[in-house]
């Protein structure tokens, strides 16, 4: 009896908080938490907050004992009580209680039972959503980051339980981020040691959709959220909380994960990841992601073409999203990196290996993969450029033009191993890129958007022997001039009886357009004329020439321009008549081009007599020489004769008749009656020769101007009557140029090299001519007769010039 009294006394002497804690546990754990007693415990904790840490320690002790004894019902009751206390108590003493709480959660997460792991995770998530009144100086979440990341990769046998564990891990990571990201006293969650665990865990679960089809459990259906959707939401929340200095640490693990699991080659998952990233981060930080992608592309320069193509496609998608927000300083950086990749791809394709072919173990290049990469890069350049404003697109066009290798002017971008073919391929690739940039280019002031520093080199490419390069340049010019989407309406080169069916969009030529044509029109005409003379031109070239001339007429024509275009069309007709060295197809094509264009421009001028003359000539050709019209020439199997006999009479357009008919309508008849002859200006001669032959012919031309033989010719010509002096000089100059160009287009390379090697460098002679005269102030009458240049610091300046 005495023993019973002692036990009763001891029970009564137990601390009140322990009795209150014990009372919340029922005899049968299936009955659940005793709510009335739980309310008493909560009221006590709020009334005596200094006891909260002891309550937590005692609950932790009981939970540990129940876990060890596998009394999982009581474990659940203890966690429920902890959750309620956490939600109710936000006093200053809560920190010590939280330590007990986290110890219990940790014990549950360490258990082998999936249910306990999920229970612990749920409690942690509830805790993570609580905003604490006081900061914590010593709390650490390293274990939770590691454990939740491990749960994200769970390989439990039962697929339903495995899914639950993984979702619990994702929610746990989300809770850790929420709890730590805004607490400056916590260890930085953005440190690589944490990001390298969190981000790959999320990507692993995000990737499961790509690997297996989802079979959601009833609970998942009830929650209406799949693991993929939960992962994406968590990933977006993580990225949305990233500040400027944390973007790099958040994106780097993504790049490493895609590298380690070879996910660039599939493209779709990598693109999806970076779409999530670009749309989730703050828009002003998006250029940082682009910079990391560009750096990663450079780092993978010697990786397989499929990997590089995957990264390029991701850059394409990300850059378009970024350009719609804050563009930042990355515009030219994007293009510079992409152009560099084009150059490297061409080098790899031509050399056949990533390193020097002599090195052991060098990887073998697959040409078709490199071609696919090149197409991807060009497509990316176009898609990014399409989002840029006009002024930036003009800068990009200039930037790309400066990268195109030109013999004699710009350094070749091809390596020593690829030589001339490498430079040619890079020229083509960069011109294709330029074509993508100019697609849809529209500006109200072409004079400022297309400066001479861009147009002059571009126009000069029309003189190169490579047919593909010339065609690309013509297409670029068409894209630049077409501002009302008229290009497709000129896609068919034919003679229309009524051009109103084309429904051309036309505006009155603006003052800026007039200034543009006044400055550049003669170069445009000259290059169109010279491009028509090329022997290796195909149907596509003549089609593009027709579209270019038509767009000039529709977009940029005033009365003076119309007159010059008619003169140019008639000059093309004369070219086809006189250039007998051209193939028959080319001569017929030039005739057909001239006819189709005069038919177009006559209907645009709406002068009846002009239209009638053009119509009569076309009718005469249809009866007598149909192969001089587009319908017989620009078809799949051209209907042209083997030899072109002399063409004359009614089948030719008469310059005199056209001048007469248009002169009566107010056009400049005197100018119309003057044949168009393209002239080489000094500017053209000194800076526009782009082909190798033209570069050498320029050197010889300068040399011949400096040679004594030239002076003798001039002296002999000076004895002739003055009336014919200028004419004979021009004729001789023109003939000499023709011979020089013909020599360097047809002669063997060895002969050209020997000829040039025997001559003194034109560059040296120019230096000799342009040596500045000695400064008068530097002459010293000391008897030596030599002058010296006075340094700036020895010069005497007036007082007013010095400050």
């Amino acid at each position: 009896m005495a023993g019973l009294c002692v036990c009763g006394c001891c029970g009564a002497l137990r601390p009140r908080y322990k009795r209150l804690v014990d009372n919340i546990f029922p005899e049968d754990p299936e009955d659940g938490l005793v709510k009335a007693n739980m309310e008493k415990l909560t009221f006590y904790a709020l009334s005596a907050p200094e006891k909260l840490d002891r309550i937590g320690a005692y609950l932790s002790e009981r939970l540990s004992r129940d876990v060890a004894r596998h009394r999982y019902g009581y474990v659940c009751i203890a966690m429920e009580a902890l959750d309620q206390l956490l939600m109710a108590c936000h006093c200053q003493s809560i920190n010590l209680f939280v330590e007990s709480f986290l110890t219990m959660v940790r014990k549950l997460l360490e258990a082998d039972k999936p249910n306990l792991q999920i229970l612990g995770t749920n409690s942690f998530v509830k805790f993570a959503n609580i905003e604490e009144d006081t900061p914590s100086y010593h709390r650490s979440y390293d274990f939770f980051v590691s454990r939740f990341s491990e749960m994200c990769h769970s390989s439990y046998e039962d697929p339903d339980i495995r899914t639950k564990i993984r979702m619990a891990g994702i929610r746990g990571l989300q809770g850790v981020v929420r709890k730590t990201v805004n607490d400056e006293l916590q260890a930085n969650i953005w440190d690589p040691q944490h990001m390298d665990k969190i981000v790959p865990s999320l990507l692993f679960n995000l990737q499961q959709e790509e690997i297996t089809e989802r079979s959601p459990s009833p609970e998942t259906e009830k929650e209406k959220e799949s693991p993929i959707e939960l992962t994406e939401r968590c990933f977006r929340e993580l990225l949305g909380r990233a500040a400027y200095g944390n973007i790099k640490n958040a994106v780097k693990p993504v790049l490493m994960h895609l590298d380690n699991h070879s996910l660039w080659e599939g493209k779709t998952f990598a693109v999806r990841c970076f779409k999530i990233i670009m749309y989730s981060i703050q828009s002003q930080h998006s250029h940082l992601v682009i910079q990391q992608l560009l750096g990663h592309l450079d780092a993978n320069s010697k990786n397989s073409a499929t990997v590089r193509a995957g990264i390029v496609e991701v850059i394409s998608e990300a850059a378009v999203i970024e350009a719609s927000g804050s563009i930042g300083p990355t515009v030219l950086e994007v293009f510079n990196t992409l152009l560099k990749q084009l150059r490297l791809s061409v080098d790899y394709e031509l050399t056949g290996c990533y390193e020097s072919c002599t090195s052991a173990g060098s990887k073998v290049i697959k040409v078709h993969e490199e071609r696919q990469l090149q197409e991807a890069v060009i497509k990316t350049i176009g898609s990014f450029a399409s989002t840029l404003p006009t002024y930036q697109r003009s800068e990009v066009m200039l930037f790309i033009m400066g990268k195109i290798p030109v013999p004699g002017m710009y350094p070749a971008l091809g390596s020593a191993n690829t030589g001339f073919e490498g430079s040619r391929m890079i020229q083509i690739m960069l011109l294709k890129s330029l074509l993508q940039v100019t697609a849809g280019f529209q500006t109200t002031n072409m004079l400022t958007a297309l400066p001479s520093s861009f147009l002059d080199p571009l126009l000069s490419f029309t003189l190169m022997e490579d047919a593909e390069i010339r065609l690309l340049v013509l297409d670029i010019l068409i894209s630049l001039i077409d501002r009302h989407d008229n290009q497709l309406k000129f896609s068919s080169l034919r003679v229309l009886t009524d051009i109103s069916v084309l429904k051309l969009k036309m505006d009155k030529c603006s003052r800026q357009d007039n200034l543009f044509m006044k400055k550049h029109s003669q170069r445009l005409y000259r290059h169109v004329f010279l491009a028509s003379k090329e022997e290796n031109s195909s149907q596509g070239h003549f089609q593009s020439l027709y579209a270019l001339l038509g767009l000039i007429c529709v977009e940029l024509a005033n009365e003076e321009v119309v007159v010059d275009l008619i003169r140019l069309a008639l000059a093309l007709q004369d070219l086809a008549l006189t250039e007998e060295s051209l193939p028959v197809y080319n001569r017929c094509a030039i005739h057909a081009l001239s006819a189709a264009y005069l038919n177009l421009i006559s209907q645009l001028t709406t002068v009846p007599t002009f239209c009638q003359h053009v119509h009569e000539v076309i009718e005469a050709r249809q009866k007598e020489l149909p192969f001089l019209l587009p319908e017989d020439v620009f078809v799949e199997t051209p209907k042209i004769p083997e030899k072109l006999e002399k063409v004359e009479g009614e089948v030719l357009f008469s310059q005199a008749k056209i001048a007469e008919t248009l002169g009566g309508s107010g056009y400049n008849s005197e100018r119309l009656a003057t044949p168009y002859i393209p002239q080489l200006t000094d500017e053209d001669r000194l800076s526009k020769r782009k082909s190798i032959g033209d570069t050498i012919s320029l050197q010889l031309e300068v040399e011949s101007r400096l040679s004594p033989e030239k002076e003798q010719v001039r002296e002999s010509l000076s004895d002739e009557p003055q009336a014919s002096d200028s004419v004979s000089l021009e004729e001789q100059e023109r003939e000499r140029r023709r011979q020089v160009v013909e020599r360097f287009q047809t002669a063997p390379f060895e002969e050209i090299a020997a000829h040039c090697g025997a001559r003194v460098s034109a560059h040296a002679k120019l230096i000799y001519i342009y040596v500045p005269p000695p400064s008068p102030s530097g002459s010293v009458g000391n008897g030596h007769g030599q002058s010296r240049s006075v340094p700036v610091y020895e010069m005497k300046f007036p007082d007013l010039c010095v400050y």
Side-chain angles (χ1 to χ4, degrees):
M1 188 70 181
L4 289 172
C5 290
V6 171
C7 290
C9 292
C10 289
L13 292 174
R14 295 184 71 206
R16 187 183 178 193
Y17 73 89
K18 286 190 177 183
R19 282 183 281 129
L20 289 172
V21 169
D22 290 336
N23 291 339
I24 67 174
F25 292 93
E27 291 184 7
D28 186 356
E30 293 184 0
D31 293 340
L33 183 68
V34 180
K35 294 184 179 179
N37 293 335
M38 185 65 216
E39 289 176 0
K40 293 179 181 178
L41 177 62
T42 304
F43 179 78
Y44 177 76
L46 290 171
S47 304
E50 69 278 1
K51 300 292 186 180
L52 191 60
D53 58 326
R54 299 184 185 182
I55 294 172
Y58 184 59
L59 271 171
S60 176
E61 180 185 335
R62 284 203 56 152
L63 183 136
S64 300
R65 187 168 62 245
D66 291 336
V67 169
R69 296 175 180 176
H70 306 291
R71 300 167 65 179
Y72 300 127
Y74 288 121
V75 170
C76 294
I77 292 173
M79 291 308 299
E80 186 178 352
L82 283 166
D83 293 343
Q84 290 191 24
L85 287 172
L86 272 175
M87 299 298 291
C89 303
H90 290 175
C91 59
Q92 292 184 351
S93 305
I94 197 174
N95 274 334
L96 294 176
F97 175 73
V98 168
E99 291 302 321
S100 300
F101 167 78
L102 291 179
T103 300
M104 288 182 274
V105 171
R106 180 170 183 164
K107 192 171 290 293
L108 292 179
L109 293 176
E110 288 175 336
D112 294 333
K113 294 285 185 180
N115 290 341
L116 294 184
Q117 297 174 13
I118 295 171
L119 178 65
T121 302
N122 292 338
S123 292
F124 182 85
V125 171
K126 291 177 184 177
F127 160 70
N129 292 326
I130 296 174
E131 293 185 9
E132 299 180 53
D133 295 337
T134 55
S136 172
Y137 293 87
H138 57 281
R139 198 180 299 161
S140 172
Y141 295 97
D142 291 2
F143 165 79
F144 295 100
V145 171
S146 301
R147 183 59 183 150
F148 288 139
S149 299
E150 187 179 343
M151 290 170 65
C152 288
H153 292 84
S154 173
S155 57
Y156 201 84
E157 293 180 359
D158 189 324
D160 290 337
I161 296 178
R162 181 171 66 238
T163 299
K164 290 179 181 179
I165 295 175
R166 289 183 178 180
M167 291 185 71
I170 295 167
R171 285 196 296 268
L173 290 177
Q174 188 178 32
V176 172
V177 172
R178 286 179 179 176
K179 200 65 183 171
T180 59
V181 74
N182 294 323
D183 191 345
E184 295 180 358
L185 298 174
Q186 292 299 325
N188 192 354
I189 197 68
W190 302 106
D191 286 345
Q193 59 179 345
H194 300 309
M195 283 292 106
D196 289 347
K197 296 174 183 176
I198 294 174
V199 173
S201 301
L202 297 176
L203 294 180
F204 173 77
N205 284 276
L206 197 64
Q207 187 186 349
Q208 296 310 301
E209 188 178 39
E210 308 287 331
I211 300 174
T212 58
E213 295 184 1
R214 298 200 305 267
S215 56
S217 63
E219 183 179 340
T220 306
E221 289 179 351
K222 186 178 179 180
E223 293 176 357
K224 295 183 179 178
E225 188 172 43
S226 68
I228 308 297
E229 293 166 341
L230 175 63
T231 304
E232 184 172 331
R233 185 160 57 82
C234 180
F235 192 32
R236 288 183 184 277
E237 182 177 339
L238 173 69
L239 295 165
R241 294 173 180 270
Y244 182 87
N246 304 325
I247 294 293
K248 184 177 180 181
N249 288 347
V251 174
K252 188 176 180 181
V254 179
L255 299 173
M256 299 305 296
H257 182 82
L258 296 173
D259 284 345
N260 296 335
H261 297 276
S262 302
L263 295 173
W264 293 111
E265 299 177 13
K267 297 180 185 177
T268 52
F269 180 72
V271 168
R272 184 185 174 197
C273 285
F274 276 90
K275 278 187 174 180
I276 293 174
I277 292 172
M278 296 302 291
Y279 282 120
S280 300
I281 62 175
Q282 301 174 45
S283 59
Q284 66 267 29
H285 301 159
S286 56
H287 66 276
L288 297 174
V289 180
I290 303 295
Q291 287 176 336
Q292 279 189 266
L293 280 168
L294 294 172
H296 199 66
L297 180 59
D298 279 338
N300 283 272
S301 292
K302 294 179 181 178
N303 213 323
S304 67
T306 52
V307 170
R308 283 177 283 138
I311 301 175
V312 167
E313 187 160 333
V314 170
I315 292 175
S316 174
E317 297 287 345
V320 170
I321 297 170
E322 185 234 8
S324 61
S326 171
I327 294 176
T330 57
V331 174
L332 292 183
E333 186 180 352
V334 170
F335 289 100
N336 190 43
T337 301
L338 293 175
L339 295 181
K340 178 183 176 184
Q341 290 301 318
L342 267 183
R343 174 178 62 80
L344 289 173
S345 180
V346 169
D347 288 349
Y348 296 158
E349 180 183 340
L350 293 177
T351 58
C353 53
Y354 295 113
E355 300 284 353
S356 175
C357 291
T358 57
S359 63
S362 58
K363 300 178 182 177
V364 178
I365 301 296
K366 295 181 180 178
V367 174
H368 72 279
E369 290 182 355
E370 292 296 337
R371 293 284 172 88
Q372 290 173 356
L373 168 65
Q374 292 159 14
E375 291 174 6
V377 172
I378 293 171
K379 176 187 171 186
T380 300
I381 289 173
S383 63
F384 185 41
S386 65
T387 64
L388 299 177
T390 301
Y391 75 94
Q392 278 193 321
R393 205 186 287 202
S394 298
E395 291 176 1
V396 171
M397 287 156 51
L398 274 169
F399 181 74
I400 296 177
M401 180 59 69
K403 294 284 185 179
I404 301 178
V406 179
M409 287 192 64
Y410 304 137
L413 294 182
S415 66
N417 295 329
T418 59
F420 177 78
E421 180 61 18
S423 292
R424 176 190 165 276
M425 284 187 64
I426 293 171
Q427 285 175 335
I428 291 174
M429 295 298 167
L430 295 183
L431 287 172
K432 285 182 177 179
S433 303
L434 194 56
L435 180 59
Q436 290 287 326
V437 175
T438 58
F441 179 80
Q442 293 184 354
T443 176
T444 55
N445 192 345
M446 294 188 69
L447 195 61
T448 56
L450 304 174
S452 299
S453 56
F454 172 79
L455 270 183
D456 290 350
L458 179 66
L459 287 173
S460 297
F461 276 104
T462 58
L463 305 180
M464 294 194 72
E465 295 178 3
D466 193 290
E468 187 176 0
I469 290 177
R470 294 202 313 274
L471 186 57
L472 283 170
V473 174
L474 290 174
D475 290 341
I476 291 169
L477 288 171
I478 290 169
S479 290
L480 293 173
I481 294 175
D482 181 26
R483 292 174 291 174
H484 294 88
D485 298 323
N486 289 317
Q487 178 179 348
L488 293 177
K489 298 168 186 178
F490 293 108
S491 58
S492 178
L493 208 172
R494 54 202 170 111
V495 174
L496 293 173
T497 54
D498 183 9
I499 64 167
S500 62
V501 297
L502 295 177
K503 297 180 181 179
L504 296 171
K505 298 177 185 176
M506 300 175 62
D507 284 337
K508 185 178 180 182
C509 194
S510 65
R511 179 175 175 272
Q512 288 85 359
D513 291 341
N514 289 334
L515 291 173
F516 176 81
M517 290 304 289
K518 187 168 288 188
K519 184 173 183 180
H520 296 294
S521 62
Q522 294 304 318
R523 292 193 186 92
L524 283 170
Y525 306 150
R526 173 177 176 270
H527 287 280
V528 167
F529 182 85
L530 295 177
S532 303
K533 294 175 63 174
E534 297 293 339
E535 294 184 7
N536 59 352
S537 293
S538 63
Q539 179 177 336
H541 291 83
F542 292 106
Q543 179 67 60
S544 295
L545 285 169
Y546 174 71
L548 176 61
L549 289 169
L551 288 169
I552 292 175
C553 191
V554 171
E555 298 278 354
L556 302 169
N558 53 29
E559 186 176 309
E560 182 180 345
V561 171
V562 169
V563 169
D564 284 340
L565 289 171
I566 294 171
R567 293 173 63 225
L568 176 59
L570 293 170
L572 291 176
Q573 176 180 263
D574 293 340
L575 174 67
L577 292 173
T578 56
E579 286 287 335
E580 297 182 359
S581 60
L582 286 174
V584 174
Y585 174 81
N586 291 53
R587 296 177 66 189
C588 292
I590 295 172
H591 273 299
L593 170 64
S594 177
Y597 189 58
L598 284 172
N599 173 69
L600 171 71
I601 205 169
S602 66
Q603 295 188 53
L604 288 173
T605 56
T606 64
V607 178
T609 50
F610 182 25
C611 293
Q612 183 181 356
H613 171 65
V614 172
H615 183 63
E616 288 173 354
V617 173
I618 290 173
E619 278 190 341
R621 289 190 180 185
Q622 288 172 343
K623 293 177 183 177
E624 300 177 25
L625 304 173
F627 51 81
L628 300 185
L629 293 173
E631 286 74 13
D632 276 22
V633 178
F634 301 116
V635 290
E636 200 169 324
T637 54
K639 304 171 184 177
I640 57 174
E642 294 183 2
K643 186 178 180 182
L644 188 62
E645 301 294 340
K646 188 174 182 181
V647 181
E648 57 186 358
E650 296 180 350
V651 295
L652 293 178
F653 298 99
S654 169
Q655 185 149 4
K657 285 184 180 180
I658 293 175
E660 182 182 347
T661 56
L662 289 177
S665 299
Y667 289 88
N668 189 337
S669 57
E670 183 179 349
R671 188 171 179 84
L672 277 167
T674 306
Y676 171 77
I677 300 174
Q679 295 294 328
L680 280 175
T681 64
D682 289 338
E683 187 181 4
D684 286 329
R685 278 195 295 268
L686 290 175
S687 62
K688 306 303 183 298
R689 300 288 64 75
K690 296 301 189 266
S691 70
I692 295 177
D694 285 335
T695 304
I696 300 174
S697 66
L698 165 63
Q699 294 177 353
L700 290 181
E701 185 176 344
V702 176
E703 288 178 11
S704 62
R705 287 183 163 229
L706 302 176
S707 64
E709 293 85 356
K710 183 78 177 190
E711 296 300 324
Q712 292 174 6
V713 171
R714 287 182 178 174
E715 290 174 5
S716 63
L717 288 172
S718 64
D719 297 333
E720 296 181 7
Q722 291 297 322
S724 61
D725 185 51
S726 61
V727 176
S728 58
L729 272 173
E730 287 181 3
E731 289 178 354
Q732 182 161 347
E733 181 78 7
R734 196 177 300 117
E735 177 63 21
R736 190 192 58 76
R737 287 179 189 149
R738 190 190 66 78
Q739 291 175 358
V740 169
V741 172
E742 183 179 352
R743 178 194 308 166
F744 285 95
Q745 287 178 342
T746 58
F749 175 77
E750 292 77 8
E751 180 182 333
I752 296 172
H755 183 77
C756 294
R759 308 289 295 270
V760 180
S761 169
H763 179 66
K765 292 184 178 180
L766 286 173
I767 292 177
Y768 175 77
I769 290 173
Y770 290 109
V771 169
S775 172
S777 61
S779 300
V780 181
N782 54 6
H784 294 285
Q786 290 185 350
S787 62
R788 67 179 184 88
S789 179
V790 178
V792 175
Y793 57 83
E794 291 184 8
M795 291 182 181
K796 303 295 183 182
F797 293 96
D799 292 338
L800 290 175
C801 296
V802 181
Y803 64 95

